[in-house]
Amino acid sequence: MTLVRSELLKIRTTSTWWIFGLISLALWALTLFFNWLQTEALAGGDFGEVPADQSDQLQAVSAADNLAANLYTNGQFFGLLIVLLLGIVVVTSEFFHQTVTTTFLTAPHRSAVMLAKLVAAGVLALLFWLVTTVLNLVTAPLILNSVDVGSQLGSGAIWRAIALNGLAYLLWSVLGVGLGVLIRSQIGATVTGILFYLGGAIGAVIVLSLLASRYGDWINKLQLLVPSLASGLMVGGDTDIPGNPPQWAGALVLIGYAVVAGAIGVATIRKRDIS
Amino acid sequence: MMSDGQPRPSAGTGQITVSGLTKQYKNVRAVDNLSFTVEPGRVTGFLGPNGAGKTTTLRMLLNLVTPSAGTATVGGSRYADLPDPLRTVGAVLEASSAHKGRTGINHLRVICAAAGLPKERADEALALVGLSPAAKRKFKGYSLGMKQRLGIAAAMLGNPQVLILDEPANGLDPEGIRWMRGFLKGLAAEGRTVLVSSHLLSEMQLLADDVVIIAAGKLIRQGPVDQVMASMTHGVRVRVRTPQADDLAAVLREQAATVDADPNGALLVSGVDAPTVGRVALAAKVELHELTTERPDLEGVFLELTAGKAEIR
Ligand SMILES: Nc1ncnc2c1ncn2[C@@H]1O[C@H](COP(=O)(O)OP(=O)(O)O)[C@@H](O)[C@H]1O
Ligand SMILES: [Mg+2]
């Protein structure tokens, strides 16, 4: 517990957290704008000519629940990236600023230090989630009402989407800590993290759909194994979108990644020479 | 004294014991079957040329680097087994620093929080090293001397029995070095164990009571500074000044002494001791203006001891 307090104090006593906070606030506003446009378009229900097999999907996406869930978890796309980077920085800044020696002199039990870092990064991530969610709870009803969908706050599915969003923030910060241990270089880990996240989302979709068109549709199911897509799936609305694997599968995959990343991180740092 | 009272007795005797310690890196045996002890109440200089394995040894002692073989203990315990490491051992290591964007006082508070020390200790430790005026300045604005003092403040947070410093004089100006010397001697006088590594031998001569000399990862010599130096019979010379240098040189050579002239006109005599030189001069009715025994300084001893074993690596 003293170690967690120390880790939180480390975060509080540098400017990293509020710089990240400001960036995520700006990105939150940006995504809010696009989600608002999207909501208006989908709620208008005017999609023009759409092939038959895609119209089912559109139907599902534009269901009130999904529209609302999307708005109540607004900011998630970049928010998860931010907490991933925060998790990375919690570890790599120790190597970058050469404070890791002092840290391990103070607490020679390295797994305890790493657990404290995981907890501290998680606490910070949940704080980011909390602030974002409060903002969303203010803005989403305004947008939903403006397109005559209603706030949907009575729906259990919405609250579940919000909670799962929190879980996603937590898990991505854990992934960040694990990644930070594996790639000690601050810049290296940050770049890898961004590629891992964005590349995971965009690159994997492209690669997988190319493969799918050659080897058959089942390949699309592999999307589940891409962390960012799994997390997107996990926090999707209640109405299962046809053709996509179920929500809980996304959650399981992401938890699996987080546990593996955290465990590898702890195991690695235990044995490493600090010189 | 600058520090705050007596060290805690918790570290037992506070003796450091290194036994058969070895570290094999891929291509280098950085530390090679090294054994020595460091006693409390004294400043011990840990000497060796660059690359001798000093840093690696200290990091193994502090559980930062895993030994390939052997053990290193403080007061009989391995560092990782100490119940309260910061209250037992304080360390200032090379390649150890603070977050550039954090203030000095916050750097210490972070450590206090992790070690379960009251945060007032941070203020006390800063005052101890005379850094209180810079408490709220960010670390990136600190001079080298201030950084070194902050490192010492961090090491003193737990008021430890044992102090370990790796090349603390590196980069310090003469005033900083003088301060450090006084500070460390004071700590030893309080009964603490002080182990200081250095490749600067001249510095150790003024500071250390004992020395442990290593080269290429191996122990060369250990003992009190004067004993290690006295054991060096080689290189002891008698300096003698006389207006009749040629006469004296001639009679001394009859005694099988080696006589050289130094650039300032004095004679440097080896092979006989100072009383012999005096007696020979009296018998030859040669007038003497100066008669002194010159021992090589630690630097010379060190170069001699490590010669050939300190190839660049
Ligand atoms: N992490 C490492 N990996 C490989 N070799 C190392 C490592 N650390 C130190 N060495 C080598 O071990 C030897 C001893 O280094 P070091 O303990 O730093 O010496 P000193 O502190 O006496 O200058 C050197 O040859 C150095 O190059
Ligand atoms: Mg060194």
Side-chain angles (χ1 to χ4, degrees):
Chain A
M1 203 50 225
T2 56
L3 288 178
V4 174
R5 274 203 12 242
S6 172
E7 289 300 327
L8 288 172
L9 189 60
K10 280 182 193 172
I11 296 170
R12 273 200 292 129
T13 50
T14 56
S15 46
T16 318
W17 71 271
W18 61 260
I19 291 175
F20 275 63
L22 284 183
I23 293 174
S24 37
L25 213 57
L27 291 171
W28 172 84
L30 190 72
T31 49
L32 180 69
F33 177 68
F34 283 110
N35 272 326
W36 176 42
L37 292 183
Q38 190 192 15
T39 306
E40 289 216 311
L42 288 173
D46 177 16
F47 307 126
E49 289 293 308
V50 175
D53 60 328
Q54 282 182 27
S55 72
D56 272 2
Q57 284 193 1
L58 270 175
Q59 212 92 64
V61 170
S62 57
D65 266 359
N66 282 340
L67 280 183
N70 190 38
L71 284 173
Y72 284 111
T73 58
N74 173 56
Q76 180 198 52
F77 183 75
F78 290 115
L80 295 183
L81 176 60
I82 293 282
V83 296
L84 171 72
L85 295 181
L86 271 173
I88 288 174
V89 167
V90 161
V91 179
T92 55
S93 77
E94 295 259 8
F95 293 101
F96 184 76
H97 295 283
Q98 299 187 321
T99 51
V100 65
T101 292
T102 305
T103 299
F104 287 150
L105 281 178
T106 310
H109 300 286
R110 299 186 188 174
S111 2
V113 174
M114 288 313 294
L115 286 179
K117 282 195 183 297
L118 287 168
V119 172
V123 167
L124 192 67
L126 287 180
L127 208 66
F128 274 59
W129 164 77
L130 193 67
V131 172
T132 316
T133 300
V134 167
L135 290 172
N136 287 335
L137 285 173
V138 174
T139 53
L142 296 177
I143 295 176
L144 289 170
N145 284 327
S146 80
V147 295
D148 295 327
V149 173
S151 78
Q152 303 289 328
L153 281 175
S155 155
I158 296 304
W159 291 102
R160 203 175 62 193
I162 291 176
L164 284 172
N165 191 28
L167 181 61
Y169 272 73
L170 186 66
L171 294 176
W172 278 96
S173 71
V174 171
L175 283 172
V177 171
L179 198 61
V181 175
L182 293 179
I183 307 174
R184 266 168 295 179
S185 146
Q186 183 124 297
I187 294 174
T190 304
V191 169
T192 310
I194 293 175
L195 287 179
F196 178 63
Y197 185 78
L198 297 182
I202 301 162
V205 172
I206 296 172
V207 171
L208 286 177
S209 59
L210 276 178
L211 287 176
S213 64
R214 264 190 85 168
Y215 299 107
D217 224 18
W218 63 272
I219 296 234
N220 270 326
K221 297 261 191 282
L222 292 181
Q223 286 193 11
L224 189 61
L225 294 180
V226 180
S228 31
L229 297 181
S231 105
L233 188 66
M234 174 178 97
V235 296
D238 188 34
T239 323
D240 282 336
I241 300 170
N244 279 348
Q247 238 179 329
W248 57 263
L252 280 186
V253 168
L254 203 57
I255 291 175
Y257 273 115
V259 168
V260 169
I264 289 180
V266 172
T268 311
I269 207 92
R270 275 174 64 99
K271 296 205 213 89
R272 188 182 283 159
D273 284 347
I274 307 295
S275 58
Chain B
M1 176 54 218
M2 288 167 285
S3 88
D4 50 357
Q6 296 304 300
R8 290 160 217 264
S10 67
T13 61
Q15 190 192 53
I16 296 173
T17 310
V18 170
S19 170
L21 202 60
T22 300
K23 180 67 182 183
Q24 177 74 49
Y25 285 117
K26 229 180 237 127
N27 306 317
V28 203
R29 188 165 278 242
V31 176
D32 193 356
N33 196 19
L34 185 61
S35 303
F36 62 87
T37 55
V38 179
E39 300 298 332
R42 305 172 70 81
V43 176
T44 301
F46 187 31
L47 292 174
N50 280 326
K54 304 180 293 293
T55 300
T56 307
T57 302
L58 297 182
R59 285 190 174 257
M60 285 194 280
L61 175 59
L62 295 167
N63 190 46
L64 294 166
V65 168
T66 315
S68 310
T71 55
T73 56
V74 179
S77 302
R78 292 183 323 140
Y79 189 83
D81 298 336
L82 292 172
D84 241 341
L86 246 49
R87 289 191 165 93
T88 310
V89 181
V92 186
L93 296 184
E94 272 186 316
S96 163
S97 186
H99 193 292
K100 314 272 172 304
R102 199 174 278 140
T103 63
I105 188 77
N106 278 337
H107 173 66
L108 298 183
R109 284 186 182 151
V110 163
I111 302 172
C112 284
L117 294 164
K119 78 177 199 208
E120 291 70 38
R121 277 302 297 159
D123 303 273
E124 291 166 21
L126 268 190
L128 182 65
V129 299
L131 213 51
S132 303
K136 295 206 166 117
R137 267 164 55 192
K138 289 194 173 167
F139 185 71
K140 63 182 160 211
Y142 277 27
S143 71
L144 209 59
M146 292 162 82
K147 287 178 179 170
Q148 197 63 270
R149 282 180 195 232
L150 185 64
I152 293 178
M156 292 303 293
L157 282 174
N159 190 20
Q161 158 73 30
V162 178
L163 255 290
I164 294 173
L165 301 94
D166 196 6
E167 307 260 4
N170 264 6
L172 286 191
D173 54 16
E175 166 55 26
I177 291 182
R178 213 162 52 89
W179 174 84
M180 175 95 57
R181 190 157 63 221
F183 188 81
L184 296 182
K185 282 187 175 214
L187 294 179
E190 290 170 354
R192 300 183 210 246
T193 311
V194 181
L195 178 60
V196 193
S197 89
S198 179
H199 66 282
L200 289 178
L201 304 136
S202 42
E203 172 53 29
M204 279 303 131
Q205 209 160 6
L206 293 171
L207 173 62
D209 304 303
D210 296 331
V211 285
V212 173
I213 300 178
I214 66 168
K218 294 196 179 74
L219 183 70
I220 301 288
R221 185 97 31 127
Q222 150 163 42
V225 176
D226 1 328
Q227 259 179 43
V228 167
M229 293 195 36
S231 73
M232 302 304 302
T233 48
H234 190 84
V236 177
R237 297 184 301 190
V238 177
R239 167 190 293 271
V240 53
R241 217 176 262 283
T242 168
Q244 301 144 264
D246 290 345
D247 299 349
L248 183 62
V251 288
L252 282 173
R253 288 203 178 98
E254 282 167 22
Q255 303 287 322
T258 315
V259 184
D260 296 306
D262 92 345
N264 304 324
L267 294 179
L268 296 172
V269 186
S270 45
V272 292
D273 60 5
T276 309
V277 174
R279 215 176 305 119
V280 169
L282 183 62
K285 295 200 161 48
V286 170
E287 179 185 348
L288 293 189
H289 294 172
E290 182 191 343
L291 181 62
T292 43
T293 303
E294 276 192 346
R295 294 190 175 282
D297 60 0
L298 196 52
E299 190 88 36
V301 175
F302 178 75
L303 285 176
E304 184 187 326
L305 285 174
T306 59
K309 297 177 185 115
E311 71 276 15
I312 314 282
R313 51 177 206 150

